[in-house]
PDB file of all heavy atoms in Angstrom:
ATOM      1  N   ASN A 137      22.441  -5.793   4.043  1.00  0.00           N
ATOM      2  CA  ASN A 137      23.683  -5.058   3.802  1.00  0.00           C
ATOM      3  C   ASN A 137      23.323  -3.748   3.118  1.00  0.00           C
ATOM      4  O   ASN A 137      22.134  -3.461   2.930  1.00  0.00           O
ATOM      5  CB  ASN A 137      24.667  -5.897   2.969  1.00  0.00           C
ATOM      6  CG  ASN A 137      24.070  -6.339   1.641  1.00  0.00           C
ATOM      7  OD1 ASN A 137      23.385  -5.558   0.977  1.00  0.00           O
ATOM      8  ND2 ASN A 137      24.313  -7.577   1.272  1.00  0.00           N
ATOM      9  N   ALA A 138      24.312  -2.974   2.758  1.00  0.00           N
ATOM     10  CA  ALA A 138      24.020  -1.644   2.208  1.00  0.00           C
ATOM     11  C   ALA A 138      23.153  -1.745   0.954  1.00  0.00           C
ATOM     12  O   ALA A 138      22.219  -0.965   0.772  1.00  0.00           O
ATOM     13  CB  ALA A 138      25.327  -0.917   1.898  1.00  0.00           C
ATOM     14  N   VAL A 139      23.455  -2.727   0.093  1.00  0.00           N
ATOM     15  CA  VAL A 139      22.721  -2.844  -1.172  1.00  0.00           C
ATOM     16  C   VAL A 139      21.261  -3.231  -0.919  1.00  0.00           C
ATOM     17  O   VAL A 139      20.337  -2.596  -1.426  1.00  0.00           O
ATOM     18  CB  VAL A 139      23.390  -3.882  -2.103  1.00  0.00           C
ATOM     19  CG1 VAL A 139      22.568  -4.051  -3.377  1.00  0.00           C
ATOM     20  CG2 VAL A 139      24.799  -3.443  -2.428  1.00  0.00           C
ATOM     21  N   THR A 140      21.058  -4.280  -0.098  1.00  0.00           N
ATOM     22  CA  THR A 140      19.673  -4.714   0.131  1.00  0.00           C
ATOM     23  C   THR A 140      18.876  -3.635   0.872  1.00  0.00           C
ATOM     24  O   THR A 140      17.691  -3.462   0.620  1.00  0.00           O
ATOM     25  CB  THR A 140      19.603  -6.036   0.917  1.00  0.00           C
ATOM     26  OG1 THR A 140      20.312  -5.879   2.133  1.00  0.00           O
ATOM     27  CG2 THR A 140      20.189  -7.179   0.127  1.00  0.00           C
ATOM     28  N   SER A 141      19.530  -2.897   1.773  1.00  0.00           N
ATOM     29  CA  SER A 141      18.823  -1.820   2.473  1.00  0.00           C
ATOM     30  C   SER A 141      18.325  -0.779   1.483  1.00  0.00           C
ATOM     31  O   SER A 141      17.189  -0.311   1.576  1.00  0.00           O
ATOM     32  CB  SER A 141      19.733  -1.149   3.496  1.00  0.00           C
ATOM     33  OG  SER A 141      19.918  -1.983   4.587  1.00  0.00           O
ATOM     34  N   ALA A 142      19.184  -0.418   0.532  1.00  0.00           N
ATOM     35  CA  ALA A 142      18.799   0.579  -0.468  1.00  0.00           C
ATOM     36  C   ALA A 142      17.650   0.049  -1.321  1.00  0.00           C
ATOM     37  O   ALA A 142      16.693   0.773  -1.611  1.00  0.00           O
ATOM     38  CB  ALA A 142      19.995   0.940  -1.338  1.00  0.00           C
ATOM     39  N   LEU A 143      17.730  -1.236  -1.705  1.00  0.00           N
ATOM     40  CA  LEU A 143      16.669  -1.811  -2.533  1.00  0.00           C
ATOM     41  C   LEU A 143      15.356  -1.886  -1.767  1.00  0.00           C
ATOM     42  O   LEU A 143      14.277  -1.605  -2.310  1.00  0.00           O
ATOM     43  CB  LEU A 143      17.074  -3.199  -3.032  1.00  0.00           C
ATOM     44  CG  LEU A 143      18.254  -3.230  -4.019  1.00  0.00           C
ATOM     45  CD1 LEU A 143      18.603  -4.659  -4.404  1.00  0.00           C
ATOM     46  CD2 LEU A 143      17.953  -2.409  -5.258  1.00  0.00           C
ATOM     47  N   ARG A 144      15.445  -2.259  -0.486  1.00  0.00           N
ATOM     48  CA  ARG A 144      14.228  -2.279   0.339  1.00  0.00           C
ATOM     49  C   ARG A 144      13.597  -0.896   0.392  1.00  0.00           C
ATOM     50  O   ARG A 144      12.375  -0.752   0.268  1.00  0.00           O
ATOM     51  CB  ARG A 144      14.561  -2.688   1.782  1.00  0.00           C
ATOM     52  CG  ARG A 144      14.812  -4.145   2.003  1.00  0.00           C
ATOM     53  CD  ARG A 144      15.137  -4.353   3.464  1.00  0.00           C
ATOM     54  NE  ARG A 144      15.708  -5.664   3.701  1.00  0.00           N
ATOM     55  CZ  ARG A 144      16.124  -6.067   4.908  1.00  0.00           C
ATOM     56  NH1 ARG A 144      16.049  -5.257   5.938  1.00  0.00           N
ATOM     57  NH2 ARG A 144      16.614  -7.272   5.061  1.00  0.00           N
ATOM     58  N   ALA A 145      14.446   0.122   0.595  1.00  0.00           N
ATOM     59  CA  ALA A 145      13.922   1.492   0.675  1.00  0.00           C
ATOM     60  C   ALA A 145      13.248   1.876  -0.628  1.00  0.00           C
ATOM     61  O   ALA A 145      12.154   2.450  -0.625  1.00  0.00           O
ATOM     62  CB  ALA A 145      15.048   2.467   1.009  1.00  0.00           C
ATOM     63  N   ALA A 146      13.881   1.521  -1.758  1.00  0.00           N
ATOM     64  CA  ALA A 146      13.307   1.866  -3.060  1.00  0.00           C
ATOM     65  C   ALA A 146      11.936   1.223  -3.231  1.00  0.00           C
ATOM     66  O   ALA A 146      10.988   1.849  -3.699  1.00  0.00           O
ATOM     67  CB  ALA A 146      14.239   1.421  -4.181  1.00  0.00           C
ATOM     68  N   LEU A 147      11.820  -0.031  -2.809  1.00  0.00           N
ATOM     69  CA  LEU A 147      10.558  -0.745  -2.975  1.00  0.00           C
ATOM     70  C   LEU A 147       9.504  -0.268  -1.984  1.00  0.00           C
ATOM     71  O   LEU A 147       8.314  -0.425  -2.208  1.00  0.00           O
ATOM     72  CB  LEU A 147      10.787  -2.251  -2.825  1.00  0.00           C
ATOM     73  CG  LEU A 147      11.632  -2.867  -3.939  1.00  0.00           C
ATOM     74  CD1 LEU A 147      12.164  -4.230  -3.541  1.00  0.00           C
ATOM     75  CD2 LEU A 147      10.819  -2.963  -5.221  1.00  0.00           C
ATOM     76  N   PHE A 148       9.969   0.311  -0.875  1.00  0.00           N
ATOM     77  CA  PHE A 148       9.047   0.743   0.170  1.00  0.00           C
ATOM     78  C   PHE A 148       8.525   2.169  -0.068  1.00  0.00           C
ATOM     79  O   PHE A 148       7.463   2.525   0.437  1.00  0.00           O
ATOM     80  CB  PHE A 148       9.752   0.650   1.526  1.00  0.00           C
ATOM     81  CG  PHE A 148       8.868   0.932   2.701  1.00  0.00           C
ATOM     82  CD1 PHE A 148       7.868   0.045   3.062  1.00  0.00           C
ATOM     83  CD2 PHE A 148       9.028   2.086   3.454  1.00  0.00           C
ATOM     84  CE1 PHE A 148       7.043   0.301   4.141  1.00  0.00           C
ATOM     85  CE2 PHE A 148       8.203   2.347   4.542  1.00  0.00           C
ATOM     86  CZ  PHE A 148       7.216   1.450   4.884  1.00  0.00           C
ATOM     87  N   LEU A 149       9.278   2.968  -0.834  1.00  0.00           N
ATOM     88  CA  LEU A 149       8.893   4.375  -1.034  1.00  0.00           C
ATOM     89  C   LEU A 149       7.425   4.579  -1.449  1.00  0.00           C
ATOM     90  O   LEU A 149       6.751   5.435  -0.879  1.00  0.00           O
ATOM     91  CB  LEU A 149       9.799   5.029  -2.079  1.00  0.00           C
ATOM     92  CG  LEU A 149      11.149   5.561  -1.589  1.00  0.00           C
ATOM     93  CD1 LEU A 149      11.850   6.320  -2.720  1.00  0.00           C
ATOM     94  CD2 LEU A 149      10.991   6.480  -0.389  1.00  0.00           C
ATOM     95  N   PRO A 150       6.908   3.805  -2.408  1.00  0.00           N
ATOM     96  CA  PRO A 150       5.508   4.035  -2.815  1.00  0.00           C
ATOM     97  C   PRO A 150       4.501   3.880  -1.675  1.00  0.00           C
ATOM     98  O   PRO A 150       3.437   4.490  -1.698  1.00  0.00           O
ATOM     99  CB  PRO A 150       5.270   2.962  -3.884  1.00  0.00           C
ATOM    100  CG  PRO A 150       6.609   2.631  -4.406  1.00  0.00           C
ATOM    101  CD  PRO A 150       7.546   2.777  -3.241  1.00  0.00           C
ATOM    102  N   VAL A 151       4.850   3.068  -0.673  1.00  0.00           N
ATOM    103  CA  VAL A 151       3.937   2.851   0.454  1.00  0.00           C
ATOM    104  C   VAL A 151       3.672   4.168   1.170  1.00  0.00           C
ATOM    105  O   VAL A 151       2.586   4.405   1.693  1.00  0.00           O
ATOM    106  CB  VAL A 151       4.528   1.821   1.441  1.00  0.00           C
ATOM    107  CG1 VAL A 151       3.578   1.557   2.596  1.00  0.00           C
ATOM    108  CG2 VAL A 151       4.879   0.534   0.725  1.00  0.00           C
TER     109      VAL A 151
END
Side-chain angles (χ1 to χ4, degrees):
Chain A
N137 57 41
V139 177
T140 56
S141 287
L143 293 178
R144 283 179 194 177
L147 293 163
F148 186 70
L149 277 187
V151 182

